[in-house]
Amino acid sequence: MSRSSLLVIFLLAGIVAASAQMRFDQSDARSISAPVSYEAVSLFSADSSRVVVNIHYRIAQNFFIFVRNESSPQTSAYVAHGELVVELLNEQKISAARRIVQLPLTRESLPKETDRSANLQGAVSLSVPPGKYTIVFSV
């Protein structure tokens, strides 16, 4: 297969994938430099009457407030707790799917302002009928 044939195949695959994605009221991606960011990707489902929406998120650890872990025998253990709520609202603003994720974090020491700890990253998958949705993303 020649390079030009491969290029045409990749372009067609990109066009098909782009046209298959769902439209969202809000922007699909949020700024990566923000303390909290997410990106929504719609995928085909085994069930042709539904699509899977994967919402990938990244949360900087300095977004959380760490406190001394009173339940730990170590005096240097710190914890932070958070909750992530991801919801898809249909065009009538009715909830079509929702997921709540607990976000527990632990550290051996308190973070400094200049500390660049690894971000908390993950994904939430929601299955919904094809359509136009608004993403509600809250930490």
Side-chain angles (χ1 to χ4, degrees):
M1 212 177 239
S2 70
R3 284 186 178 186
S4 61
S5 298
L6 284 174
L7 180 61
V8 169
I9 290 172
F10 283 122
L11 287 174
L12 288 175
I15 291 170
V16 168
S19 65
Q21 286 196 349
M22 295 170 51
R23 296 173 305 180
F24 293 96
D25 282 345
Q26 299 177 1
S27 174
D28 286 351
R30 301 293 176 216
S31 173
I32 298 299
S33 63
V36 177
S37 62
Y38 67 90
E39 181 177 3
V41 179
S42 61
L43 305 168
F44 294 105
S45 173
D47 180 358
S48 62
S49 67
R50 301 189 72 75
V51 294
V52 174
V53 179
N54 284 346
I55 300 172
H56 302 265
Y57 61 87
R58 176 178 292 155
I59 306 168
Q61 282 198 28
N62 64 1
F63 181 80
F64 298 94
I65 297 173
F66 285 85
V67 296
R68 187 176 311 278
N69 187 357
E70 298 295 329
S71 65
S72 172
Q74 296 177 338
T75 59
S76 61
Y78 296 89
V79 295
H81 298 280
E83 188 173 82
L84 171 67
V85 179
V86 179
E87 188 170 16
L88 297 179
L89 303 178
N90 64 16
E91 291 181 283
Q92 292 78 34
K93 303 299 182 205
I94 298 171
S95 179
R98 177 185 322 149
R99 182 78 32 96
I100 300 172
V101 180
Q102 299 300 316
L103 304 171
L105 290 107
T106 59
R107 295 182 61 108
E108 293 302 315
S109 63
L110 286 175
K112 297 175 179 51
E113 279 190 44
T114 58
D115 191 9
R116 294 284 181 206
S117 299
N119 292 325
L120 181 63
Q121 300 181 84
V124 173
S125 291
L126 301 169
S127 177
V128 291
K132 186 175 179 180
Y133 294 91
T134 300
I135 299 171
V136 177
F137 187 93
S138 177
V139 181

